Structure formats: C-alpha cells, structure tokens
Amino acid sequence: MAKTKKKTPALRDKEKWYANGLHFECTGCGHCCRWGEGYVWINERHIHEMADHLGLDVLQFARRYVRRVGSAYSLRELADYRCVLLDDDERCRVYPVRPTQCRTYPFWPENIRTPAAWHALEPDCPGLNNGRLYTPAEIEALARRTEEGD
C-alpha cells in the first residue's frame, strides 16, 4: 500500500521567525543587480513595459537586453555578471517598471527561509533591516509573487 505524504500545516504568524515582520527599504544601490551569474526572469508584459520606459520598440529592446533560456526569457548579463540594465552609476534604468523578481527582492523564498539566510544578505544590501516594516502576510505574498513571476 502506498503511503500518502502528510501535508505540513502552515505556521501561524507567531510561530514564524519573522513573526514581528521585517524591515526593508530599497536604496536603489544596485548591489543585488551584480551578484554573479544567474537569471532575471521576465515575461512579455515586463518586456513591453521596460521597452516603453526606455523609448524603444519591443524588438529593439529584446535584441539588446533579452536572452532566451529554454522556453523562458531572462535579462542579459554583462561579462562581469552585472545586469545589462544598470547605468554608469550602477542604478537601474528601468526601476519604476522593473521585473517582478527585482520588485520582490529581498523577500525571495530562499531569503526568508531562516534568519541566517536573511542576515547573510546584510553586507550587500543597505536597505535590509531599515525602513518600512513588512508584515508576515506581506512577506509571504511577495515570496509567492517571486515564485509565480507574474
């Protein structure tokens, strides 16, 4: 007889390590945009919004800034792994319309899993533990958005 896996019940807010919420305020420093090789997943809506923001048609934008990865799309990286959309001052050129993955940082599932994972980001993110207080519900909603990539 096959065993069925028990579903782990969701933790109540008071049981979570971030039960009192987490502070974060993006400083726009660009540190998270140059951490190393990886992917910034984007969809057609993101491509259209970013192209429009930069005053480019979608095809121009895609040729210059987008790469295909299997059946998905990602922003390109420069040779040193910095995001191709950073300007000369290391600021995001599309900040107001940045992709979901960028909007939801640092509340990615892997970053909120443990206090150690969260605190490991501190040396590179001056906005961590500063500014606005996010509730556990807001934190988890952002983590879900990251996974769904809306």
Side-chain angles (χ1 to χ4, degrees):
M1 182 186 240
K3 286 187 177 180
T4 57
K5 190 174 181 182
K6 275 190 175 179
K7 191 173 184 179
T8 305
L11 295 175
R12 293 184 304 245
D13 283 350
K14 67 181 181 180
E15 297 170 330
K16 296 173 184 155
W17 73 266
Y18 51 87
N20 295 323
L22 294 170
H23 287 274
F24 174 70
E25 193 73 43
C26 182
T27 65
C29 69
H31 289 200
C32 56
C33 307
R34 55 181 189 261
W35 276 352
E37 189 174 9
Y39 302 103
V40 176
W41 301 112
I42 56 177
N43 59 34
E44 287 188 34
R45 179 180 55 84
H46 297 133
I47 292 169
H48 283 270
E49 289 174 353
M50 291 184 288
D52 186 56
H53 183 78
L54 294 175
L56 300 171
D57 69 41
V58 172
L59 205 51
Q60 286 175 309
F61 180 86
R63 283 186 188 134
R64 195 175 298 171
Y65 300 114
V66 178
R67 63 181 165 159
R68 192 169 182 95
V69 181
S71 62
Y73 299 100
S74 175
L75 290 175
R76 292 183 186 275
E77 302 173 316
L78 300 175
D80 62 0
Y81 303 120
R82 288 181 307 121
C83 178
V84 70
L85 290 170
L86 287 177
D87 66 18
D88 293 338
D89 294 323
E90 300 292 313
R91 301 287 183 169
C92 179
R93 289 188 278 171
V94 295
Y95 189 85
V97 295
R98 66 198 182 281
T100 303
Q101 186 175 336
C102 304
R103 287 179 183 278
T104 60
Y105 182 83
F107 301 108
W108 296 349
E110 63 268 26
N111 294 340
I112 62 168
R113 196 162 283 126
T114 65
W118 179 260
H119 293 299
L121 304 172
E122 289 173 338
D124 294 311
C125 184
L128 219 64
N129 303 318
N130 292 300
R132 176 172 158 357
L133 177 65
Y134 287 79
T135 67
E138 290 173 309
I139 292 164
E140 289 166 8
L142 289 165
R144 277 191 305 278
R145 277 187 69 199
T146 302
E147 290 179 324
E148 295 163 2
D150 76 8

